[in-house]
Amino acid sequence: MAAPMSWRRLVLSVYSPAMAGAFARVSDRLFRVRDRRRGSSVLLLAPLLAETDTAPRRVSRPSGSAGAQGTDGLCAHFGWMAEQAPAFRVPGTHIQILTSPDQFYQAMKAHIKTAQKRVVMASLYLGTGRMEQELVDCIEEALERSKENAHAPGLKVSILLDYTRGSRGQINSRTMLLPLLQRFTSQMRVSLYHTPDLRGLLRLLVPERFNETIGVQHIKVYLFDDSVIISGANLSDSYFTNRQDRYVLLENCSEVADFFSDLVEAVGDVSLQLRPDDSVTTLEGLVHPYKGNRQAFSAAARKRIMAVVNAARVRQQLLQSEDSGGSGDVSEGEEDTWVFPLVQMKPLGIQLDEQVTQRLLMSASSDSAVFLTSGYFNLTRTYMRLVLGAGANYRILTASPEVNGFFGAKGVAGAIPAAYTHIARQFYQQVCRLGQHERVHLHEYRRPQWTFHAKGLWYYLQGQHQPCLTLIGSPNFGYRSVHRDLEAQIAIVTENEELQRRLQEEQEMLYRRSTEVSSSTFKQSDRHVKLWVKLVTPLIKNFF
């Protein structure tokens, strides 16, 4: 026992915030002059060493009185979200739940073909296969039609991807989009977000295959005129065929679409701009993400992005105040659903999603049920404490090893499914040790020839057989989602019974393909985790 404990103490000492802070201050002084010239970032090793999973704020549970919107019912439970995020009121009938990769792909193509004013797409990357080329062809056809159509000549296309993932290999996301950029330069924009944490020596030393582990643009938003798809799916063939994710389509929701269009534009503004000759540049007057000063970049990016969030929040509060001051019958029967966009960009100092998720988990009372799913089971320590300390009944769904996206990968990446098995076993043992096994259940998704990437949650109030709230988008509830990447999801709160029913069907469809974890699960021969995998699991938790 002594050896493992010594190793654990060593790891914890390395991951101390005090050491990271001191390292950052010393290295910043040492390399400040050089950073101004060409950019050296030994100081950027500090975030890699720091354990920044802090305890949640002390917040009170939502009161039973009317919520921020001044209406009864669900606002008494969830109206507090409007204090931190924009609150858009939409008809529940305008929201569709897509359930399969093919539905997602076909919806994308159909909406691109009919778009007249804008196509906005944010993803980690764009794949290079046949199906991805078909998407590019659809965009090309839409741009050509726009030029020929006197009634809609102004179609604009804006695509936001991650720089590191989108530039990997000789054939990549950039080469897929260059022909469009060259033909439709005035109508086309391709932005490549580069994390400020990958710079200097770190940028030189980390291999191309692993440089995205430092931090990426992970938002998945696909917008066509006034309709928008929020998902966790990337623009790649597996996400169009046999990789199970979640997808919600909001049709004719102009205010929501405008918000996400502005959000993607803001992130695009602080990103590198792809040029027709395959070079990249920053917009005039903006700080370079890895050559410029790191603090200056993050401050400028945060200001630009939060301007979008705050402007939308104030605008929606004013609109709601006007509605409340009117006759009181403003589409009460139709606009029965609230949409709250939640943004998480910790490297830029933005953590709205984290704050809302923490409060949501904290306020889950013993008379409610929460179904939570993540393709990579790696809850932050704060989220884990809230799940184990709350009173709600939890059913947590994650990928079984064989449907994990890294299953069968070469090298260190091939050990990732085993590492997640180790994490799940530790969590399950803690559940049992605390006597919570009747309240907290762990499930594993199983489906031959498929992988599992779905994330989010469904919230059931006391005595309700259908969920009234769901979270859906890009976050995985893990360390990377909270601390490293740019993420966005939406909270949908609805009184629309038909939408509630479809959300329930989605949840049941996913859990129907799962088996519940028990102590015997980890005794199976294929669940044996090698010692070296256990030793590197703390690193895997922070980077994958």
Side-chain angles (χ1 to χ4, degrees):
M1 295 294 293
M5 287 303 294
S6 298
W7 174 84
R8 183 180 296 274
R9 283 194 293 270
L10 176 62
V11 170
L12 290 176
S13 67
V14 171
Y15 275 76
S16 69
M19 177 182 177
F23 187 86
R25 288 191 295 273
V26 172
S27 57
D28 190 31
R29 288 179 181 273
L30 288 173
F31 293 99
R32 187 172 294 148
V33 174
R34 187 176 173 185
D35 187 57
R36 277 198 223 82
R37 293 176 184 169
R38 295 297 298 170
S40 176
S41 305
V42 174
L43 69 93
L44 260 300
L45 290 174
L48 310 186
L49 300 176
E51 164 52 67
T52 55
D53 192 9
T54 56
R57 292 182 178 181
R58 183 179 299 275
V59 294
S60 59
R61 295 189 177 191
S63 65
S65 59
Q69 283 71 39
T71 58
D72 295 329
L74 293 178
C75 285
H77 293 276
F78 305 114
W80 53 267
M81 291 185 185
E83 300 167 9
Q84 294 174 291
F88 298 97
R89 196 169 187 176
V90 304
T93 54
H94 287 199
I95 299 178
Q96 293 186 36
I97 307 300
L98 310 179
T99 58
S100 72
D102 182 64
Q103 277 187 308
F104 169 58
Y105 183 60
Q106 298 303 331
M108 292 267 288
K109 291 202 299 183
H111 281 79
I112 290 172
K113 291 177 180 178
T114 58
Q116 294 189 353
K117 62 179 182 178
R118 62 185 174 187
V119 171
V120 179
M121 306 173 81
S123 181
L124 175 62
Y125 67 104
L126 170 68
T128 59
R130 176 188 59 83
M131 299 184 78
E132 297 92 323
Q133 185 59 56
E134 287 184 16
L135 273 185
V136 174
D137 293 343
C138 286
I139 296 174
E140 182 178 23
E141 292 171 10
L143 287 167
E144 287 176 343
R145 278 198 311 273
S146 174
K147 279 193 170 183
E148 298 169 358
N149 187 354
H151 299 289
L155 178 66
K156 300 290 184 181
V157 176
S158 177
I159 298 178
L160 170 66
L161 304 173
D162 181 70
Y163 178 92
T164 55
R165 188 63 180 269
S167 304
R168 183 190 296 176
Q170 291 186 339
I171 302 176
N172 51 44
S173 304
R174 291 163 65 165
T175 60
M176 290 286 288
L177 294 170
L178 278 175
L180 283 186
L181 193 59
Q182 291 162 353
R183 282 195 60 196
F184 304 97
T185 305
S186 63
Q187 294 175 267
M188 184 87 176
R189 181 189 191 190
V190 179
S191 304
L192 302 169
Y193 176 82
H194 193 296
T195 176
D197 291 337
L198 182 65
R199 56 171 56 216
L201 287 177
L202 193 63
R203 194 171 191 272
L204 292 174
L205 294 175
V206 178
E208 184 182 66
R209 187 183 178 195
F210 295 103
N211 56 13
E212 67 179 273
T213 61
I214 308 304
V216 295
Q217 192 305 112
H218 201 244
I219 297 170
K220 320 293 173 57
V221 170
Y222 309 107
L223 191 153
F224 321 95
D225 290 344
D226 291 333
S227 298
V228 58
I229 296 176
I230 308 295
S231 178
N234 289 303
L235 298 174
S236 179
D237 56 0
S238 63
Y239 291 90
F240 304 149
T241 53
N242 63 345
R243 189 162 175 81
Q244 182 63 61
D245 217 301
R246 297 183 66 209
Y247 338 80
V248 61
L249 168 61
L250 292 84
E251 292 196 287
N252 299 317
C253 295
S254 59
E255 292 178 341
V256 179
D258 288 344
F259 170 82
F260 279 106
S261 179
D262 292 343
L263 178 67
V264 173
E265 180 182 7
V267 178
D269 285 348
V270 301
S271 301
L272 297 172
Q273 308 302 308
L274 184 64
R275 298 168 64 90
D277 62 357
D278 199 24
S279 64
V280 294
T281 184
T282 57
L283 293 180
E284 184 177 355
L286 294 180
V287 182
H288 196 283
Y290 65 85
K291 294 180 181 178
N293 180 272
R294 193 239 185 268
Q295 288 73 24
F297 171 82
S298 295
R302 183 185 189 281
K303 182 179 180 180
R304 175 74 180 88
I305 294 165
M306 285 305 297
V308 172
V309 176
N310 291 331
R313 185 167 58 87
V314 171
R315 184 166 57 249
Q316 292 308 117
Q317 287 176 343
L318 290 174
L319 288 173
Q320 179 57 28
S321 298
E322 292 174 3
D323 292 344
S324 300
S327 61
D329 60 352
V330 183
S331 303
E332 288 293 333
E334 181 183 2
E335 294 184 332
D336 47 17
T337 301
W338 291 97
V339 176
F340 301 90
L342 307 176
V343 181
Q344 182 72 13
M345 303 176 180
K346 201 79 164 274
L348 308 180
I350 300 171
Q351 52 194 93
L352 301 182
D353 179 65
E354 179 186 12
Q355 293 167 357
V356 171
T357 301
Q358 284 182 2
R359 183 165 178 179
L360 185 63
L361 296 177
M362 184 180 293
S363 63
S365 60
S366 58
D367 53 15
S368 60
V370 177
F371 288 75
L372 184 151
T373 180
S374 175
Y376 306 108
F377 180 69
N378 183 22
L379 297 181
T380 66
R381 288 193 292 194
T382 297
Y383 290 165
M384 195 176 298
R385 285 199 300 269
L386 292 174
V387 169
L388 294 175
N393 292 303
Y394 277 87
R395 290 195 175 270
I396 301 173
L397 176 62
T398 187
S400 61
E402 61 272 17
V403 300
N404 185 292
F406 290 95
F407 186 74
K410 297 179 180 179
V412 176
I416 293 175
Y420 283 122
T421 293
H422 184 53
I423 295 169
R425 182 176 186 173
Q426 290 177 319
F427 176 77
Y428 180 79
Q429 289 174 337
Q430 190 172 4
V431 168
C432 294
R433 187 165 55 250
L434 295 174
Q436 301 288 328
H437 55 280
E438 294 295 326
R439 186 182 64 83
V440 180
H441 303 263
L442 191 59
H443 297 253
E444 290 185 341
Y445 187 88
R446 299 176 180 275
R447 193 173 184 180
Q449 308 303 315
W450 280 61
T451 55
F452 184 71
H453 197 247
K455 70 273 293 185
L457 65 76
W458 302 259
Y459 193 110
Y460 292 72
L461 289 174
Q462 178 186 19
Q464 299 299 311
H465 301 292
Q466 295 176 337
C468 60
L469 177 148
T470 191
L471 295 183
I472 181 169
S474 64
N476 283 296
F477 304 103
Y479 185 91
R480 280 198 58 175
S481 289
V482 172
H483 297 291
R484 295 195 182 282
D485 299 338
L486 304 193
E487 308 277 8
Q489 66 177 339
I490 56 174
I492 299 175
V493 178
T494 183
E495 294 178 343
N496 185 289
E497 293 184 1
E498 176 60 22
L499 179 55
Q500 289 180 353
R501 184 187 65 78
R502 285 184 273 122
L503 287 170
Q504 179 193 9
E505 288 179 350
E506 179 201 28
Q507 176 259 303
E508 291 179 345
M509 177 200 72
L510 294 175
Y511 279 74
R512 196 177 299 125
R513 294 186 178 274
S514 74
T515 56
E516 186 169 350
V517 169
S518 67
S519 57
S520 62
T521 302
F522 302 105
K523 297 177 182 178
Q524 299 170 10
S525 59
D526 61 348
R527 295 307 178 93
H528 174 71
V529 180
K530 297 178 181 179
L531 177 60
W532 75 269
V533 175
K534 294 179 181 179
L535 295 178
V536 301
T537 293
L539 292 176
I540 291 176
K541 288 178 68 174
N542 288 357
F543 292 99
F544 292 92

